[in-house]
PDB file of all heavy atoms in Angstrom:
ATOM      1  N   ASP A  47     -44.953  26.164  14.592  1.00  0.00           N
ATOM      2  CA  ASP A  47     -44.735  26.991  15.860  1.00  0.00           C
ATOM      3  C   ASP A  47     -43.966  26.121  16.910  1.00  0.00           C
ATOM      4  O   ASP A  47     -43.086  26.578  17.586  1.00  0.00           O
ATOM      5  CB  ASP A  47     -46.040  27.216  16.628  1.00  0.00           C
ATOM      6  CG  ASP A  47     -47.126  28.104  15.803  1.00  0.00           C
ATOM      7  OD1 ASP A  47     -46.514  28.889  14.918  1.00  0.00           O
ATOM      8  OD2 ASP A  47     -48.213  28.117  16.053  1.00  0.00           O
ATOM      9  N   THR A  48     -44.170  24.855  16.897  1.00  0.00           N
ATOM     10  CA  THR A  48     -43.399  23.946  17.686  1.00  0.00           C
ATOM     11  C   THR A  48     -41.901  23.806  17.285  1.00  0.00           C
ATOM     12  O   THR A  48     -41.071  23.727  18.126  1.00  0.00           O
ATOM     13  CB  THR A  48     -44.099  22.586  17.777  1.00  0.00           C
ATOM     14  OG1 THR A  48     -45.464  22.727  18.203  1.00  0.00           O
ATOM     15  CG2 THR A  48     -43.427  21.649  18.713  1.00  0.00           C
ATOM     16  N   ALA A  49     -41.814  23.761  15.995  1.00  0.00           N
ATOM     17  CA  ALA A  49     -40.338  23.613  15.433  1.00  0.00           C
ATOM     18  C   ALA A  49     -39.583  24.761  15.927  1.00  0.00           C
ATOM     19  O   ALA A  49     -38.407  24.743  16.136  1.00  0.00           O
ATOM     20  CB  ALA A  49     -40.404  23.471  14.017  1.00  0.00           C
ATOM     21  N   ASN A  50     -40.192  26.022  15.974  1.00  0.00           N
ATOM     22  CA  ASN A  50     -39.613  27.212  16.362  1.00  0.00           C
ATOM     23  C   ASN A  50     -39.131  27.306  17.845  1.00  0.00           C
ATOM     24  O   ASN A  50     -38.351  28.207  18.179  1.00  0.00           O
ATOM     25  CB  ASN A  50     -40.454  28.431  15.983  1.00  0.00           C
ATOM     26  CG  ASN A  50     -40.594  28.606  14.510  1.00  0.00           C
ATOM     27  OD1 ASN A  50     -39.776  28.166  13.795  1.00  0.00           O
ATOM     28  ND2 ASN A  50     -41.700  29.264  14.130  1.00  0.00           N
ATOM     29  N   ILE A  51     -39.666  26.456  18.611  1.00  0.00           N
ATOM     30  CA  ILE A  51     -39.437  26.507  20.133  1.00  0.00           C
ATOM     31  C   ILE A  51     -38.393  25.396  20.474  1.00  0.00           C
ATOM     32  O   ILE A  51     -38.025  25.325  21.695  1.00  0.00           O
ATOM     33  CB  ILE A  51     -40.684  26.514  20.918  1.00  0.00           C
ATOM     34  CG1 ILE A  51     -40.598  26.995  22.236  1.00  0.00           C
ATOM     35  CG2 ILE A  51     -41.313  25.059  20.928  1.00  0.00           C
ATOM     36  CD1 ILE A  51     -40.416  28.532  22.389  1.00  0.00           C
ATOM     37  N   PHE A  52     -37.996  24.614  19.649  1.00  0.00           N
ATOM     38  CA  PHE A  52     -37.051  23.468  19.950  1.00  0.00           C
ATOM     39  C   PHE A  52     -35.764  23.909  20.722  1.00  0.00           C
ATOM     40  O   PHE A  52     -35.294  23.207  21.550  1.00  0.00           O
ATOM     41  CB  PHE A  52     -36.571  22.737  18.684  1.00  0.00           C
ATOM     42  CG  PHE A  52     -37.372  21.466  18.371  1.00  0.00           C
ATOM     43  CD1 PHE A  52     -38.210  21.416  17.331  1.00  0.00           C
ATOM     44  CD2 PHE A  52     -37.315  20.455  19.280  1.00  0.00           C
ATOM     45  CE1 PHE A  52     -38.908  20.330  17.013  1.00  0.00           C
ATOM     46  CE2 PHE A  52     -38.100  19.143  18.898  1.00  0.00           C
ATOM     47  CZ  PHE A  52     -38.762  19.233  17.861  1.00  0.00           C
ATOM     48  N   SER A  53     -35.364  25.088  20.446  1.00  0.00           N
ATOM     49  CA  SER A  53     -34.083  25.602  21.108  1.00  0.00           C
ATOM     50  C   SER A  53     -34.060  25.708  22.616  1.00  0.00           C
ATOM     51  O   SER A  53     -33.060  25.677  23.156  1.00  0.00           O
ATOM     52  CB  SER A  53     -33.734  26.917  20.418  1.00  0.00           C
ATOM     53  OG  SER A  53     -34.637  27.917  20.715  1.00  0.00           O
ATOM     54  N   ILE A  54     -35.281  25.814  23.072  1.00  0.00           N
ATOM     55  CA  ILE A  54     -35.308  26.063  24.626  1.00  0.00           C
ATOM     56  C   ILE A  54     -35.188  24.681  25.336  1.00  0.00           C
ATOM     57  O   ILE A  54     -34.923  24.617  26.524  1.00  0.00           O
ATOM     58  CB  ILE A  54     -36.555  26.746  25.153  1.00  0.00           C
ATOM     59  CG1 ILE A  54     -37.804  25.878  24.981  1.00  0.00           C
ATOM     60  CG2 ILE A  54     -36.658  28.158  24.452  1.00  0.00           C
ATOM     61  CD1 ILE A  54     -39.027  26.517  25.695  1.00  0.00           C
ATOM     62  N   GLY A  55     -35.379  23.634  24.534  1.00  0.00           N
ATOM     63  CA  GLY A  55     -35.140  22.228  25.170  1.00  0.00           C
ATOM     64  C   GLY A  55     -36.215  21.792  26.116  1.00  0.00           C
ATOM     65  O   GLY A  55     -35.942  20.911  27.019  1.00  0.00           O
ATOM     66  N   GLU A  56     -37.436  22.369  26.112  1.00  0.00           N
ATOM     67  CA  GLU A  56     -38.469  21.990  27.051  1.00  0.00           C
ATOM     68  C   GLU A  56     -38.775  20.483  26.757  1.00  0.00           C
ATOM     69  O   GLU A  56     -38.774  20.036  25.641  1.00  0.00           O
ATOM     70  CB  GLU A  56     -39.648  22.821  26.854  1.00  0.00           C
ATOM     71  CG  GLU A  56     -40.772  22.665  27.824  1.00  0.00           C
ATOM     72  CD  GLU A  56     -40.439  22.939  29.195  1.00  0.00           C
ATOM     73  OE1 GLU A  56     -39.734  23.939  29.453  1.00  0.00           O
ATOM     74  OE2 GLU A  56     -40.952  22.159  30.204  1.00  0.00           O
ATOM     75  N   GLU A  57     -39.150  19.835  27.885  1.00  0.00           N
ATOM     76  CA  GLU A  57     -39.299  18.380  27.811  1.00  0.00           C
ATOM     77  C   GLU A  57     -40.366  17.866  26.779  1.00  0.00           C
ATOM     78  O   GLU A  57     -40.175  16.818  26.094  1.00  0.00           O
ATOM     79  CB  GLU A  57     -39.698  17.958  29.111  1.00  0.00           C
ATOM     80  CG  GLU A  57     -39.972  16.446  29.312  1.00  0.00           C
ATOM     81  CD  GLU A  57     -40.534  16.130  30.789  1.00  0.00           C
ATOM     82  OE1 GLU A  57     -40.334  16.955  31.629  1.00  0.00           O
ATOM     83  OE2 GLU A  57     -40.851  14.916  30.903  1.00  0.00           O
ATOM     84  N   PHE A  58     -41.416  18.637  26.552  1.00  0.00           N
ATOM     85  CA  PHE A  58     -42.489  18.171  25.747  1.00  0.00           C
ATOM     86  C   PHE A  58     -42.525  18.670  24.389  1.00  0.00           C
ATOM     87  O   PHE A  58     -43.397  18.284  23.583  1.00  0.00           O
ATOM     88  CB  PHE A  58     -43.840  18.502  26.427  1.00  0.00           C
ATOM     89  CG  PHE A  58     -44.061  17.940  27.781  1.00  0.00           C
ATOM     90  CD1 PHE A  58     -43.921  18.745  28.852  1.00  0.00           C
ATOM     91  CD2 PHE A  58     -44.258  16.556  27.977  1.00  0.00           C
ATOM     92  CE1 PHE A  58     -43.883  18.189  30.181  1.00  0.00           C
ATOM     93  CE2 PHE A  58     -44.386  16.017  29.234  1.00  0.00           C
ATOM     94  CZ  PHE A  58     -44.253  16.830  30.347  1.00  0.00           C
ATOM     95  N   VAL A  59     -41.564  19.451  23.988  1.00  0.00           N
ATOM     96  CA  VAL A  59     -41.603  20.029  22.653  1.00  0.00           C
ATOM     97  C   VAL A  59     -41.399  18.899  21.531  1.00  0.00           C
ATOM     98  O   VAL A  59     -42.181  18.992  20.580  1.00  0.00           O
ATOM     99  CB  VAL A  59     -40.415  21.013  22.476  1.00  0.00           C
ATOM    100  CG1 VAL A  59     -40.126  21.482  21.042  1.00  0.00           C
ATOM    101  CG2 VAL A  59     -40.659  22.290  23.402  1.00  0.00           C
ATOM    102  N   GLY A  60     -40.570  17.947  21.712  1.00  0.00           N
ATOM    103  CA  GLY A  60     -40.474  16.887  20.846  1.00  0.00           C
ATOM    104  C   GLY A  60     -41.750  16.099  20.669  1.00  0.00           C
ATOM    105  O   GLY A  60     -42.067  15.681  19.476  1.00  0.00           O
ATOM    106  N   SER A  61     -42.431  15.834  21.712  1.00  0.00           N
ATOM    107  CA  SER A  61     -43.699  15.059  21.649  1.00  0.00           C
ATOM    108  C   SER A  61     -44.821  15.879  20.948  1.00  0.00           C
ATOM    109  O   SER A  61     -45.523  15.335  20.069  1.00  0.00           O
ATOM    110  CB  SER A  61     -44.242  14.704  23.023  1.00  0.00           C
ATOM    111  OG  SER A  61     -43.235  13.934  23.653  1.00  0.00           O
TER     112      SER A  61
END
Side-chain angles (χ1 to χ4, degrees):
D47 297 337
T48 304
N50 291 334
I51 199 75
F52 264 111
S53 64
I54 70 164
E56 186 64 38
E57 178 180 354
F58 300 106
V59 172
S61 296

